[in-house]
Every structure is written in structure tokens, then in C-alpha cells.
Amino acid sequence: MLTVDQARDRAAAIVEAARRAGADAADALVAADQSLDVSVRLGALEDVGRSESAELSLRVFCGKRGASVSTADFAPQTLQDLVERAIAMARAAPEDDWAGLAPAERLLHGLPPQLDLDDPIEPEPAELKARALAAEDAARAVAGVTNSEGAGASAHRGIVALATSHGFAGGYASTTHSLSASVLAGDQGAMERDYAYSTARHARLVEAPEAVGRQAGERAVARVGAGRVESGALPIVFDPRVGGSLLGHLLGAISGQAIARKTSFLLDALGTQIFATGVTIHDDPHRPHGLRSRPFDGEGLAVGPGDIVRDGVLTTWLLDSASARQLGLEPTGHAARGGAGVGIAPSNLYMAAGHLPRETLIGEIERGVYVTELIGMGVNGVTGDYSRGAAGFLIERGEITRPVSEFTIAGNLKDMFRALTPASDLEFRFGINVPTLRIDGLTVASG
């Protein structure tokens, strides 16, 4: 696998080649990774997989015309052909007044922040197998579990390097270790499935196999015998596993591309109250060993922590350099680079913990639903209309009682955001993290 220095040198070399071939400006991303995955089922090894890959993506500009190309072939002639093809495509492309590299004065210079993303210890297949077996054993030991879909453990290491023709060259390595288990409970014809997993940058930070497995088993057993819930307007409580999806809808609505194209239900919301007072949503690319930490964004810009929503008020759009120019604003360091070009992505996004304990948030509900699974993608990014299938548990007189499934929850995201109350139980387990969330007055329709 490429080293960080090798990847950075290759990115810089092809940028220089593009400049020599006639491009006015260029940038290139080299991404390389290697993975080891082990899966087991019913106490036996099912699969061991090892993969290694590398890809280079080149973006060139000829005046206001641009094009992006990518390849997994690093042969010298292939790269030369790639440069010539990219320039030919750019010259044939329509003019774009907003095209170009990020502002040179905003590029990251000097030493990048040390984020502790790279675990130097690479596990052996036998070690991953033992973790997966221990997780599955713990899940199958839960009373009521009747079958297993298996367990898996994996280790991944990736390299990212970016170079631009106006002064940036940088790269970094990161590792990801994961453990998961998925089991079934109940009798044939009425079986329920659930899962648990843990992911961390360092192997030592992954949850114990016994804890992951036990959680998967207990979740599956709790779902057995699911009934229906009556239709009506009810308080909905979102488990943190699914509550983060609400922030995903927020991100889509405040991305620079959506605002520039006027395809967002939050088009005129900048600087206004979109959540209740007290709600804060923070983005922190510098979180040590965070799952989405990064020293620079997809265009080489320096990044730093900041509030996206502060005390309920939307404080910023998420902008790459092109959408920022189109809107007459400054890029925010949220550019994400891929083979198809530049998009928008947050780093370690989270909603700050509220003041109410989870037990109080639920205990105040006479009748409602605790949602643990969301199904389908019935969200309109232009209007904010929201309708998704769901499963979870009934809340009766402040207690989580019996499982329910085959219902939909519906509302409008503008109203949902304003009615949202976070609990105080925030944990950092995923790339996007939220505490338990309560939204009153959503429409529940039984299937």
C-alpha cells in the first residue's frame, strides 16, 4: 500500500503534469486503502477477505471550464492519457462562472493538527475471528435468540493525499476497526432481527465483543411479538441509533449546492430560529480519533470546530468554494472530494446534550412511540415533508412497554425541528451523534 508521502508525491506530480499540458489550474486526490474482514456464523468461520485498492482523481480548469476524471491505474502512460483526456474534456465543457480552486489564502499551511487517527497495530485474522466468535456467542446466549445472521470483525487503513496547483500538498492516514453481530429471535414465521456494532479509529476503543453481542441479542428478543399502534398524533422519541438521520436531513437542506439551486426547505433560514432555544449542533473536525476527523477539507482548506446551529439559530450554510462564490460568501471547510468532483460533507457532527434525563423525557409521555428503526426515504428536501416507515416500542404512562411495527410517522421537518427536545444522554459512537430526541405531535399511521 502507498505511504502518505508516496500518495502526496503522486498527487503533486499529476497536478504538475496537468499544468505542463496546458491546464490553468488543477488539483488531485490520491486515496488508497487496505482492509481485512472476517465473518463467522453459528460458531464457524464463514469468510476471510483482504482487499487493497488505490484511486487517483484529477480536476483541471481551463479558464472557467472544468472537468474531473479518475483512475485506479497508476501506470505512467495511463496517467499521461488521463491528463490529456481531462484537459480535452475541460476545453469542451460549458463555462462555469463559479468554477475554480479554493481561495489560496484559506489553504492549510504548516503542520496539520495531530488527531490520533492512525492505529499502528494491525490485527491478525485469528484475532479478528476470535472477536467475531465472542460477539456471536454472547448474542446467541441471550435467552430467546433462535438463529444468527453472523458476526464480523474488520480492520481498515486508508491514506488520503491532496495536491493543488496553487500551493497545497498534504495527506494523512487513518484506521477504522469494527465489530458487529446480527441475530434473530422468535419462532419460525414470526422472527425478529436486530443487530449491534461498534466502530472506532483504534482497536482498543472498540466495545468488548461480549457487550456488542449481548446488545444485539437483547434487541432482537425485545422485538418479538410486535403489535400495531393506533393512528393519531403522538409524541415520538427517537433512539440515538436513528435520531442522527434527522441531522442528515438538515445537512442536505443547508448544503451550498441546495441553497444555490434553491432546492431547500430552509432556503431563507440563515440567521433565523429553526430549532427550539437551547438546541446547539456542533461540527468538530479536530476531535481526537473521531470517526470523521480530518486536518483539511476536500479542497485543502484549513478546518476547525464551530456551531452550525447555536441556541436554535442556524448560523451557517455548508459551502465548498464553488457554491460559496455563487452565493457571494466564503467557503466553510466542508468540501468533500470524490472521483466525480467536489461535494459537501460534515466532520464529527453532533447535537449537544439537553438538560432532561432520558427517563424524564420518556416519563412525561402518557402515550407515544419509542422509535428504534426507520424504513424508506420518504423525505422531500424542497418542502421538508417527512414520512417514513418505522418500528419500535409503545410508551404507556411514562414506560416503554410492548414492541410495535408496520407504522409510519409523518410531519414537516420545519415543524419537527422546532418541536425537538434533546435528552442529556449524548454519547459519541457514530460519525453523526445525537442524544435521545423527543418530538411531540407527529402523525402516526398504522400499516
Side-chain angles (χ1 to χ4, degrees):
M1 182 170 140
L2 295 172
T3 66
V4 172
D5 288 345
Q6 288 171 333
R8 184 179 59 242
D9 290 346
R10 291 197 177 191
I14 199 165
V15 166
E16 179 58 29
R19 290 281 283 151
R20 288 197 306 268
D24 296 318
D27 63 6
L29 181 81
V30 173
D33 65 78
Q34 62 181 19
S35 296
L36 175 63
D37 300 271
V38 175
S39 60
V40 302
R41 184 173 181 270
L42 298 176
L45 180 66
E46 192 168 56
D47 190 35
V48 178
R50 186 184 293 272
S51 64
E52 189 168 323
S53 65
E55 183 178 70
L56 182 149
S57 62
L58 172 67
R59 191 170 58 143
V60 301
F61 298 97
C62 297
K64 295 182 179 180
R65 307 174 192 269
S68 297
V69 293
S70 62
T71 183
D73 185 349
F74 286 72
Q77 187 58 53
T78 300
L79 296 180
Q80 183 58 42
D81 293 344
L82 187 78
V83 167
E84 294 173 0
R85 186 165 66 251
I87 292 174
M89 290 170 58
R91 288 171 174 164
E95 286 196 350
D96 180 354
D97 289 337
W98 322 117
L101 300 179
E105 67 275 9
R106 294 283 306 280
L107 295 173
L108 174 67
H109 294 293
L111 291 175
Q114 301 303 300
L115 304 176
D116 195 19
L117 305 180
D118 190 13
D119 187 347
I121 301 173
E122 181 179 350
E124 295 295 326
E127 182 181 350
L128 295 182
K129 176 185 174 183
R131 293 181 196 172
L133 287 171
E136 190 190 38
D137 287 345
R140 294 174 66 196
V142 175
V145 171
T146 53
N147 205 343
S148 172
E149 291 188 335
S154 66
H156 169 273
R157 187 168 191 266
I159 299 290
V160 172
L162 177 71
T164 77
S165 61
H166 66 338
F168 177 81
Y172 61 97
S174 63
T175 50
T176 305
H177 297 265
S178 297
L179 178 66
S180 63
S182 177
V183 292
L184 298 101
D187 299 324
Q188 192 68 32
M191 302 184 81
E192 296 287 346
R193 167 195 173 276
D194 216 318
Y195 66 93
Y197 71 94
S198 177
T199 301
R201 289 298 189 190
H202 291 253
R204 62 182 171 79
L205 300 177
V206 177
E207 291 181 46
E210 294 76 14
V212 172
R214 182 171 59 252
Q215 189 174 56
E218 290 173 349
R219 285 173 172 173
V221 170
R223 296 181 64 159
V224 173
R228 302 295 181 88
V229 60
E230 74 277 8
S231 299
L234 294 173
I236 301 295
V237 178
F238 292 85
D239 183 270
R241 276 201 296 174
V242 298
S245 65
L246 295 173
L247 295 197
H249 303 316
L250 170 67
L251 292 173
I254 64 174
S255 73
Q257 288 102 337
I259 301 304
R261 294 170 183 165
K262 303 186 184 301
T263 57
S264 168
F265 68 92
L266 293 177
L267 188 60
D268 300 314
L270 188 62
T272 69
Q273 191 96 26
I274 63 169
F275 285 87
T277 301
V279 173
T280 293
I281 299 172
H282 195 73
D283 192 42
D284 185 5
H286 291 168
R287 183 176 180 81
H289 46 74
L291 291 176
R292 293 187 177 180
S293 294
R294 57 195 183 202
F296 52 84
D297 80 345
E299 295 182 299
L301 296 190
V303 295
D307 293 336
I308 290 175
V309 172
R310 184 183 304 119
D311 203 19
V313 175
L314 179 64
T315 64
T316 184
W317 305 128
L318 304 187
L319 305 172
D320 63 344
S321 60
S323 60
R325 281 190 285 266
Q326 190 169 357
L327 295 169
L329 300 170
E330 289 293 315
T332 60
H334 290 95
R337 184 66 183 273
V342 175
I344 295 293
S347 60
N348 302 294
L349 189 74
Y350 67 93
M351 179 179 290
H355 301 293
L356 289 176
R358 174 181 179 274
E359 294 74 18
T360 303
L361 203 73
I362 295 172
E364 296 174 344
I365 296 173
E366 180 64 22
R367 191 169 185 83
V369 180
Y370 185 82
V371 172
T372 59
E373 182 181 14
L374 291 169
I375 305 162
M377 292 301 296
V379 180
N380 188 319
V382 178
T383 65
D385 290 335
Y386 180 98
S387 179
R388 298 191 66 180
F393 298 86
L394 197 63
I395 300 172
E396 298 176 289
R397 292 179 294 280
E399 298 287 339
I400 295 176
T401 57
R402 58 184 175 87
V404 290
S405 63
E406 298 184 16
F407 61 92
T408 61
I409 52 177
N412 185 276
L413 286 167
K414 282 187 176 181
D415 300 328
M416 292 167 65
F417 289 165
R418 284 192 290 266
L420 183 149
T421 302
S424 60
D425 60 345
L426 176 69
E427 294 182 354
F428 291 93
R429 297 173 53 87
F430 315 111
I432 296 177
N433 293 281
V434 298
T436 302
L437 304 176
R438 172 177 166 174
I439 300 177
D440 292 341
L442 289 180
T443 299
V444 175
S446 183

